[in-house]
Amino acid sequence: QVNLVESGGGSVRAGASLRLSCVVSGGTFSDYVMGWFRQAPGKERVWVAAISRSGGGTYAANSVKGRFTIARDNAKNSVYLQMNSLKPEDTALYYCAADHGVRVSTAQYEYDHWGQGTQVTVSS
């Protein structure tokens, strides 16, 4: 069984930074494309960022490009989301997800395993 556990969320003021972490257990981490998604109150869950198996390819949604950076450490079975210049509209429950596929996808249905989420709240 594959388990994903996120951490690093919290409540911050606008302009602050947070670093989310996600540790994966029960599988071969380097076999997974990894993604971060978020769900704001009353809204659907949306894709935020994704990273290829090797870490050589990274992708981010336009809404966070230039502020958020995704990275992974295959030796630590971990993926990270560095979030800088946070805005109130970044407030959401953030999920990491693992995809057995080869190509990096932004589609939620492509991802096979999900964490429980970590809350990020940004006040103005």
Side-chain angles (χ1 to χ4, degrees), residues 19-75:
R19 186 191 192 214
L20 305 185
S21 300
C22 173
V23 179
V24 179
S25 61
T28 302
F29 182 70
S30 58
D31 285 347
Y32 300 122
V33 167
M34 297 299 299
W36 285 96
F37 294 78
R38 68 185 182 186
Q39 186 168 20
K43 296 187 177 181
E44 294 184 351
R45 187 163 59 186
V46 298
W47 172 74
V48 175
I51 188 166
S52 64
R53 293 175 167 186
S54 67
T58 61
Y59 309 85
N62 288 336
S63 59
V64 305
K65 195 170 293 183
R67 298 187 299 123
F68 290 11
T69 303
I70 188 171
R72 69 189 294 159
D73 185 338
N74 285 353

